[in-house]
Amino acid sequence: MTDAVNRLDLPLSDLVACFTSGDPCPGVGTAAGVAGAVAAGLIGMVAQITCRNEEEPGFRDRATEIAGQAATIGERLTRSIAEDARIFQRVIEARRARDAADESEKEALAAKAVEALRPAIELPLEVAEASLALAVLAKELFDHGMRSASSDARTAASLALAGAESSLAAVTLNLEPFESDAWAVRKREESARIWRQLLALRDSLPAPV
């Protein structure tokens, strides 16, 4: 498995090859983080173009703020890629230990394997929240930024929403073993809240055609 910390230093073709290798990592966490990081970069580009546009001086200060906010979120999403890989590796190791154990240890190790999923729920929720925040910034730029860059802002919003949605899908899957656990109930509620906000924002975007 490619070192998770160095994965973003790979050429794009090598990163794509990692996905097609059949190794379960990289997976959703990397894909969502990359989508969000690219969205953040596009937001920064549109914001800077808007700041240079003399026809819209009233939005310049806000565009500068948006660029800074997007950069901060993008850095967080970039870090999440390596974090997700480390978390996922611990999940895999816990499952392998469970599967290799004899009957006297299997129940305890099965419980540990389930517990290893908690960080694999917390982090994707953070990524979904961060990606949704990027989508909100992209929508603001689409509405008020430089018109000639509106397709870039629209693309940024779409990528950010895709990162948020895929992260929520991972959360839903990883929550299955917890059933009615009180912590899991809170996480499901949090996930549902983000999903509702995501749908509302998606519906507010104009059709691309």
Side-chain angles (χ1 to χ4, degrees), residues 156-178:
S158 297
L159 284 170
L161 289 173
E165 182 170 351
S166 57
S167 295
L168 291 178
V171 169
T172 298
L173 180 64
N174 291 338
L175 277 170
E176 286 182 358
F178 292 94

Side-chain angles (χ1 to χ4, degrees), residues 89-170:
Q89 188 60 31
R90 288 195 288 270
V91 171
I92 292 297
E93 290 170 357
R95 288 174 174 174
R96 286 173 178 165
R98 174 201 62 195
D99 294 342
D102 57 36
E103 290 303 319
S104 64
E105 298 178 305
K106 193 172 288 290
E107 184 175 350
L109 290 175
K112 287 184 178 180
V114 170
E115 286 302 307
L117 283 171
R118 290 187 190 269
I121 293 164
E122 294 279 9
L123 182 61
L125 275 174
E126 292 178 17
V127 170
E129 192 88 68
S131 297
L132 182 61
L134 282 177
V136 170
L137 295 177
K139 174 64 163 55
E140 187 174 355
L141 281 175
F142 180 87
D143 290 338
H144 304 291
M146 184 73 173
R147 185 61 188 166
S148 62
S150 62
S151 62
D152 299 284
R154 180 68 169 76
T155 299
S158 297
L159 284 170
L161 289 173
E165 182 170 351
S166 57
S167 295
L168 291 178

